[in-house]
Amino acid sequence: MKRITAMLVITLASFVAAGSALAQDPGVQANVPFDFTVGNKLLPPGTYTIVPADYGVILIQSLDKRHSVFTTTRPDAHASDYDSKLIFTKYGDQYFLSEVLCPAASVNVALPMSKQEARVRVQEAMVSSSTHVLVAMK
């Protein structure tokens, strides 16, 4: 199978440092402007808090606490000392969270590819290529 060439598309979004609710837990908030998948869970657009929950695990939760998901992670070799961002892989019109890079909150991790993403990746490889989408943090 041919290798999928990834293009980088930068999507700026509002990011703010974690508020007083996160004073005891390091974390960040991100405004994600599209539906996205973490593991096998589809999350709607909105503001999400990303918090380390345990070694190798992060919690991604909507600001209104109606949507949340725990996911396993692994250290990310692409970690940056300065830039904070979420990186999504896009297949067609589906976005999958693949990396969380936020040095200020000590969260520089990659998320494992879910079975759902692997299936979509194979399907998309037959018709087009994937795209990586960055959501920058301030």
Side-chain angles (χ1 to χ4, degrees), residues 4-133:
I4 299 174
T5 303
M7 293 174 33
L8 294 180
V9 178
I10 299 175
T11 304
L12 295 177
S14 299
F15 278 83
V16 294
S20 60
L22 294 174
Q24 296 175 352
D25 294 317
V28 293
Q29 290 181 358
N31 182 21
V32 181
F34 43 76
D35 289 334
F36 65 102
T37 302
V38 175
N40 291 318
K41 186 162 186 177
L42 180 65
L43 300 170
T47 301
Y48 287 85
T49 302
I50 300 142
V51 181
D54 198 2
Y55 181 77
V57 178
I58 59 172
L59 169 63
I60 301 168
Q61 185 174 48
S62 63
L63 201 56
D64 64 7
K65 300 188 186 316
R66 293 178 59 196
H67 307 282
S68 63
V69 62
F70 283 97
T71 186
T72 58
T73 63
R74 64 183 186 286
D76 193 332
H78 297 113
S80 169
D81 291 336
Y82 305 106
D83 296 333
S84 294
K85 58 192 153 221
L86 300 179
I87 301 176
F88 297 85
T89 304
K90 181 181 178 191
Y91 303 98
D93 62 350
Q94 297 179 25
Y95 294 84
F96 294 86
L97 183 60
S98 60
E99 295 175 83
V100 177
L101 304 177
C102 185
S106 299
V107 180
N108 290 305
V109 296
L111 282 65
M113 183 180 294
S114 67
K115 291 178 183 177
Q116 179 183 358
E117 182 178 355
R119 279 192 306 270
V120 171
R121 180 180 181 179
V122 169
Q123 292 169 351
E124 281 294 314
M126 306 232 179
V127 293
S128 65
S129 64
S130 68
T131 302
H132 281 96
V133 177

